[in-house]
Amino acid sequence: METAIDVDKTDGDNNSKEKIEHRTSTIKKLGNEKRISSDSTTSSDDEHALVTDITPCVNLSLFLSLTIRSVGIIFGDIGTSPLYVVNTIFDYQPTEAQCIGAISLIVWNLIVVVSIKYAIFILMADNHGEGGTFALCGLLTDEKIKLSRKVKRGIIIVSLIAASMLLGDGALTPAVSVLSAIEGLTIDVPSLTSWTVPIGVIIIVILFLVQRWGTSKIGIAFGPIMFLWFITIFTVGVWRVTMRPAILRAFNPWEAFHYLLKEKTRGFYQIGGVFLSATGLEALYADLGHFGRWPVRSAWLFIVFPAVLFNYLGQGALLIANPTLIDNPFYHSIPKWSHWPMIVLATAATIIASQAIITGSFSLISQAIGMECSVPFKIYHTSKTIIGQIYIPAINYVLMCLTIIIMVGFGKSSKITNAYGVTVCSVMLITTVLYMCVMHFTWKKPWYFILPFGLFLIIDMYTWASNATKIPSGGWVAIVISVVFFTFGFCWYFGQMNLHRFQKVHTQTTSLHTLAIRLGLTSGNTRENSRYSLPDLPMISTANPIDFHDDSDSNSDDEFQVKNKKTLPKVHSRVRLVENIPVRSVSIISSYLHDSNNGYEDNTIPAVVTPFVGCFLSSSTKHTPHVFENYLTRTSSVPQVIIFLHIVHTKTSTVNDNKRLTVKQYGDSIYHITALYGYSENRIKPFDILLLAHNQCRVPIPDDELKLTLFIPNATIKVSTKGWRSWIRRWPLYLYSILKSIYPGAAVNVKLNPENTINIGILAKL
């Protein structure tokens, strides 16, 4: 039963009346639970807005805006690959047949791998709009998927490996992109050779510093520049193709296949260079949450793909006409008068090219935090329209330092390209395997639908084998970076898993429905000891009689009325000695309630009700948090008013105050508050939530924040050294304990006041 009521609130000095509408339903007989909600219901649709709304037919203006911005953010890397791919493949002057064969490999790599595999198929596998390997992992580890717990843990670890490799690539890509553009200056001004690295370092620092502006603002600035870049390279490519139309034979797939058969070993090694034409491909998938499926698809198929395709054909046509220009076919293919303008444009484009992997890294870390595979870094949402547009300062600066080290260490873009591709190929291989698993276990596709996708798996394995030859020549650098990221991620995941297991076995929780009876906070279970005053603490009251019924049983006839109270007097608290508080479990409470001679007196502790309001941060809507149980056990004290605060982040940017709160009352002085906040709402203050609960639902809250005490957990990890095999699990737990002390895992975006916040220690022996 729901009733809209008006509450007359009387202030001591001001007799004005304030009307507050709120919905009420149900008091439960056991625990005396009352639910007070201020229209806090939200849409039950959990599907991400990017998937449902951003299509050309539904939201054309937003679709066009995101398409242009995705050109600047996502496709800068793959769009600037023509700068260095062709001269990476050939270290000799090729013949006409070799030019056509190599360009054919590039063309069909763009068609099969990028256009068909990723743009059409892989982008379909989003997890609430987010892409990347963790999105595939989330689809496979959902509770509805019937896979064993060990298999799901294995999938999480494999996804963590892939994400770590992509982060390792995130340090290489900006370095190779920026250096390849700056080195174009040395063609006309050889004296600048020694300045390429310093200039590159300055550009990298500026690039990472502007990330704080957010994807949306960066996309507005970068989009038009990249759009001009693609128009330019498309025009140059078409112009060169008209001079040697024979290069159009590269569209024949037989030319690519015949080239590999004829070149044999050399062709196998050249696959690593061909793979560079798809740089940034995994970042394209990881950035899905920033823009949505259809804007990304459209930007590739109608803008980026034609531009890079014809530019590669134009470079091939140039080499057919003059093979001696293999040292830098991209700059040689443009007219001489446009050389300097092209260097400026290429430099700007390659700087922008680094953006794809940076934003992709932010998305991966955000998903890793949600799956407890990463420490809870501070995340800033930079858009109130798109939930996936985020900025993570810690990851931003780590990648900046790694990129500078790589740029200084290698010195030349050609050396970095020799190292590039090992980790990215591994990620593509893992993505293909996980996608096939999603097709089978999540989407329930038949085997004859999945089997053709194995063709992509064969291509990925062949490409990986070719790129594996780069490990001795520099590929080991990306592997080392990936191992470091994986080590931190795995240790956090392993530690969190053990911590949850420890809490499940050793810590105590109580159902909120029985908490009031357990604490003896009823008139029959308490006796007065003395009196103290708790100033300015209003008492809950109701202006009109309300009917309540038990919502757990629709046939219940237990209804009662709350009599009208015209004034809101101050509460004069009574310190009451509460005897025989069970502290073990709910089952003990039930037995204790049914049988007064049950013999559980040994499992009880004496406690006093103290005159203050205690607020405990909680992650549950049905049970007490661990921090409350630890506080009760250690202090033998019960706050006069107990509030459990549960903060939930929604998929909308902001939440109106009249839809923010859901308040439940258990007994006379126990409240559970669920507060909804949008993803862009930062620096949440618990006291502001409680004041809103007082104004809307008459929760007894003092008017001074310092009269409220907030309790949060402070977990200390103690690593067990018992057992001869303990060393196997000891080292990741040691690292986890260090990370846990640095990142205790407090509620996201919550601003705590140190003056009235108390940390309750929890010792976890792992």
Side-chain angles (χ1 to χ4, degrees):
M1 175 179 177
E2 295 184 351
T3 307
I5 65 172
D6 291 335
V7 180
D8 292 335
K9 185 175 71 174
T10 306
D11 198 343
D13 298 325
N14 188 356
N15 294 325
S16 62
K17 294 183 179 181
E18 179 182 359
K19 292 191 174 183
I20 304 174
E21 292 188 355
H22 63 279
R23 291 183 305 173
T24 38
S25 69
T26 92
I27 274 191
K28 288 189 183 261
K29 185 176 182 181
L30 180 60
N32 197 32
E33 176 201 352
K34 180 169 64 179
R35 175 185 175 89
I36 309 171
S37 174
S38 56
D39 292 334
S40 60
T41 56
T42 56
S43 176
S44 59
D45 186 9
D46 290 335
E47 193 170 4
H48 198 288
L50 288 177
V51 180
T52 57
D53 296 337
I54 305 178
T55 62
C57 300
V58 176
N59 198 334
L60 181 60
S61 60
L62 185 57
F63 166 78
L64 293 176
S65 174
L66 291 175
T67 300
I68 297 299
R69 294 177 185 180
S70 67
V71 170
I73 299 296
I74 296 181
F75 295 104
D77 197 2
I78 196 171
T80 55
S81 58
L83 281 167
Y84 49 82
V85 169
V86 176
N87 60 320
T88 301
I89 296 175
F90 295 113
D91 55 0
Y92 56 92
Q93 296 182 10
T95 63
E96 179 176 343
Q98 289 174 329
C99 285
I100 295 175
I103 298 300
S104 181
L105 284 173
I106 296 174
V107 168
W108 284 99
N109 183 51
L110 296 175
I111 294 175
V112 175
V113 178
V114 184
S115 301
I116 298 177
K117 177 186 172 183
Y118 273 83
I120 296 178
F121 288 106
I122 298 294
L123 289 185
M124 295 173 61
D126 68 280
N127 187 16
H128 297 293
E130 292 291 343
T133 53
F134 278 121
L136 297 173
C137 176
L139 294 173
L140 289 171
T141 56
D142 189 84
E143 295 179 356
K144 299 178 182 179
I145 306 302
K146 296 181 180 180
L147 291 174
S148 66
R149 184 174 300 179
K150 290 184 178 180
V151 172
K152 289 183 177 181
R153 288 176 181 173
I155 292 173
I156 292 176
I157 293 175
V158 170
S159 301
L160 183 58
I161 293 173
S164 301
M165 289 182 174
L166 192 58
L167 290 173
D169 168 58
L172 290 175
T173 301
V176 67
S177 298
V178 173
L179 279 180
S180 62
I182 298 176
E183 288 171 354
L185 298 172
T186 62
I187 296 178
D188 291 335
V189 188
S191 60
L192 291 177
T193 302
S194 60
W195 286 93
T196 55
V197 172
I199 295 174
V201 170
I202 294 173
I203 292 174
I204 287 296
V205 171
I206 295 174
L207 173 66
F208 280 95
L209 288 179
V210 301
Q211 296 302 314
R212 65 181 63 190
W213 292 351
T215 306
S216 181
K217 294 180 180 178
I218 295 175
I220 292 175
F222 287 178
I225 298 175
M226 291 306 301
F227 196 76
L228 177 62
W229 166 260
F230 288 124
I231 291 177
T232 302
I233 64 174
F234 174 78
T235 304
V236 171
V238 171
W239 173 57
R240 282 294 176 182
V241 167
T242 57
M243 297 182 179
R244 287 292 188 274
I247 193 63
L248 295 177
R249 288 164 49 195
F251 282 107
N252 184 358
W254 169 250
E255 295 290 345
F257 187 69
H258 181 262
Y259 178 79
L260 291 177
L261 292 178
K262 185 178 180 181
E263 296 296 325
K264 297 180 181 178
T265 304
R266 185 164 62 180
F268 172 76
Y269 286 114
Q270 288 175 336
I271 287 295
V274 173
F275 172 75
L276 293 175
S277 63
T279 54
L281 191 54
E282 277 297 325
L284 179 150
Y285 181 37
D287 281 330
L288 179 62
H290 287 256
F291 301 99
R293 181 186 304 133
W294 283 104
V296 172
R297 256 184 205 155
S298 301
W300 166 254
L301 293 176
F302 298 107
I303 301 175
V304 183
F305 179 51
V308 296
L309 177 67
F310 275 92
N311 192 264
Y312 282 122
L313 292 172
Q315 291 186 46
L318 173 70
L319 294 179
I320 291 176
N322 190 354
T324 60
L325 301 179
I326 190 58
D327 60 318
N328 201 322
F330 176 82
Y331 282 109
H332 287 305
S333 64
I334 63 176
K336 291 184 178 180
W337 61 266
S338 63
H339 183 73
W340 279 103
M342 180 59 78
I343 288 179
V344 174
L345 181 60
T347 302
T350 50
I351 293 172
I352 296 171
S354 307
Q355 189 63 44
I357 194 64
I358 296 173
T359 53
S361 300
F362 294 159
S363 297
L364 284 176
I365 293 298
S366 175
Q367 296 175 61
I369 293 173
M371 301 189 69
E372 295 190 327
C373 292
S374 171
V375 297
F377 294 111
K378 185 70 174 179
I379 299 177
Y380 293 92
H381 290 268
T382 59
S383 171
K384 293 185 177 181
T385 305
I386 309 301
I387 187 173
Q389 295 185 0
I390 58 176
Y391 167 63
I392 305 179
I395 297 301
N396 184 62
Y397 294 123
V398 167
L399 288 178
M400 182 183 74
C401 294
L402 290 175
T403 302
I404 292 174
I405 292 173
I406 289 173
M407 184 177 289
V408 174
F410 282 92
K412 293 183 179 180
S413 62
S414 58
K415 294 182 179 180
I416 302 178
T417 55
N418 290 333
Y420 183 87
V422 181
T423 55
V424 180
C425 255
S426 302
V427 176
M428 292 177 62
L429 185 61
I430 293 174
T431 298
T432 304
V433 174
L434 291 179
Y435 184 82
M436 295 176 71
C437 292
V438 167
M439 294 171 69
H440 177 69
F441 293 106
T442 306
W443 298 340
K444 307 298 182 182
K445 298 296 182 181
W447 65 269
Y448 55 82
F449 191 89
I450 302 173
L451 191 59
F453 207 80
L455 173 64
F456 298 115
L457 186 61
I458 296 174
I459 296 174
D460 290 340
M461 294 178 66
Y462 186 79
T463 307
W464 181 88
S466 176
N467 279 277
T469 60
K470 297 181 178 180
I471 294 177
S473 60
W476 60 270
V477 175
I479 295 177
V480 169
I481 297 174
S482 303
V483 169
V484 173
F485 278 114
F486 174 77
T487 300
F488 282 96
F490 174 77
C491 291
W492 184 266
Y493 170 73
F494 184 72
Q496 288 288 96
M497 184 176 62
N498 281 270
L499 179 60
H500 293 328
R501 185 185 296 120
F502 174 85
Q503 291 177 337
K504 185 177 182 181
V505 175
H506 296 90
T507 57
Q508 308 156 9
T509 58
T510 302
S511 172
L512 293 176
H513 300 308
T514 61
L515 181 60
I517 300 177
R518 173 195 172 192
L519 298 179
L521 297 181
T522 59
S523 58
N525 293 336
T526 61
R527 61 184 177 87
E528 183 177 335
N529 200 21
S530 61
R531 295 175 181 267
Y532 291 95
S533 102
L534 185 60
D536 301 327
L537 189 60
M539 188 176 185
I540 215 165
S541 81
T542 312
N544 299 318
I546 314 171
D547 292 333
F548 296 90
H549 70 278
D550 189 351
D551 63 351
S552 64
D553 185 359
S554 59
N555 297 324
S556 175
D557 294 327
D558 297 328
E559 297 182 355
F560 68 95
Q561 292 184 341
V562 180
K563 294 183 179 180
N564 181 26
K565 295 182 179 180
K566 296 182 180 180
T567 61
L568 293 175
K570 296 180 180 179
V571 174
H572 297 285
S573 65
R574 299 176 179 179
V575 177
R576 296 168 291 179
L577 179 63
V578 183
E579 298 176 345
N580 301 330
I581 297 181
V583 297
R584 294 299 182 189
S585 65
V586 177
S587 61
I588 293 177
I589 301 168
S590 301
S591 300
Y592 185 82
L593 292 173
H594 287 85
D595 186 2
S596 59
N597 298 320
N598 50 23
Y600 283 111
E601 286 80 1
D602 293 338
N603 292 329
T604 62
I605 60 172
V608 294
V609 176
T610 51
F612 77 99
V613 178
C615 180
F616 301 83
L617 292 183
S618 177
S619 59
S620 174
T621 58
K622 298 180 179 179
H623 296 87
T624 58
H626 302 303
V627 63
F628 172 77
E629 300 294 338
N630 216 29
Y631 166 80
L632 178 63
T633 303
R634 300 300 173 189
T635 64
S636 298
S637 172
V638 179
Q640 181 186 358
V641 177
I642 303 172
I643 298 175
F644 300 110
L645 179 58
H646 180 39
I647 299 175
V648 179
H649 290 270
T650 66
K651 292 177 182 177
T652 57
S653 61
T654 58
V655 177
N656 294 330
D657 283 345
N658 62 341
K659 295 183 178 180
R660 190 178 301 281
L661 299 184
T662 299
V663 180
K664 294 181 181 180
Q665 181 179 350
Y666 299 85
D668 296 329
S669 59
I670 302 174
Y671 301 87
H672 185 283
I673 301 175
T674 300
L676 301 180
Y677 276 88
Y679 60 80
S680 65
E681 296 181 275
N682 299 319
R683 302 177 66 84
I684 300 169
K685 296 182 179 181
F687 186 68
D688 293 342
I689 301 175
L690 300 181
L691 283 181
L692 183 63
H694 167 62
N695 294 331
Q696 292 185 348
C697 304
R698 294 299 179 87
V699 177
I701 302 298
D703 56 0
D704 186 358
E705 182 177 3
L706 297 181
K707 297 177 182 178
L708 170 78
T709 305
L710 187 67
F711 297 92
I712 61 173
N714 184 14
T716 301
I717 309 301
K718 183 178 180 180
V719 181
S720 174
T721 58
K722 296 180 180 179
W724 65 273
R725 291 187 297 179
S726 64
W727 65 270
I728 299 176
R729 60 192 301 274
R730 195 183 306 169
W731 68 267
L733 291 178
Y734 278 138
L735 182 56
Y736 170 72
S737 64
I738 297 173
L739 295 174
K740 191 68 174 177
S741 63
I742 301 174
Y743 297 93
V748 179
N749 294 334
V750 175
K751 178 67 174 178
L752 301 176
N753 186 351
E755 291 186 86
N756 66 330
T757 301
I758 297 178
N759 293 281
I760 302 296
I762 297 176
L763 179 62
K765 298 179 181 179
L766 306 183

